[in-house]
């Protein structure tokens, strides 16, 4: 019988911080870009999602 082992790479602290910072920047950009979008449909969809997640928007 053959067994396979899987190793996961270990990330350094600085790589983790970079990943978290990138995720936060992208997330904030998506929320605020959609929130201030000129298209009524896009804005309303984001608005309803924010209320569903209890995100204060007004």
């Amino acid at each position: 019988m053959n067994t396979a082992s899987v190793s996961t790479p270990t990330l350094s602290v600085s790589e983790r911080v970079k990943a978290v910072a990138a995720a936060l920047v992208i997330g904030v950009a998506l929320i605020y870009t959609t929130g201030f979008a000129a298209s009524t449909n896009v804005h309303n969809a984001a608005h309803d999602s924010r209320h569903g997640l209890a995100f204060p928007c007004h």
Side-chain angles (χ1 to χ4, degrees):
M1 175 164 77
N2 294 334
T3 58
S5 63
V6 177
S7 63
T8 57
T10 305
L11 297 176
S12 68
V13 174
S14 65
E15 290 173 332
R16 290 180 190 173
V17 170
K18 289 177 189 176
V20 168
L24 284 172
V25 168
I26 291 170
V28 168
L30 286 173
I31 289 172
Y32 286 104
T33 301
T34 307
F36 292 114
S39 171
T40 304
N41 293 336
V42 174
H43 175 81
N44 287 340
H47 189 87
D48 293 344
S49 299
R50 286 190 303 245
H51 278 294
L53 296 171
F55 184 80
C57 58
H58 55 88

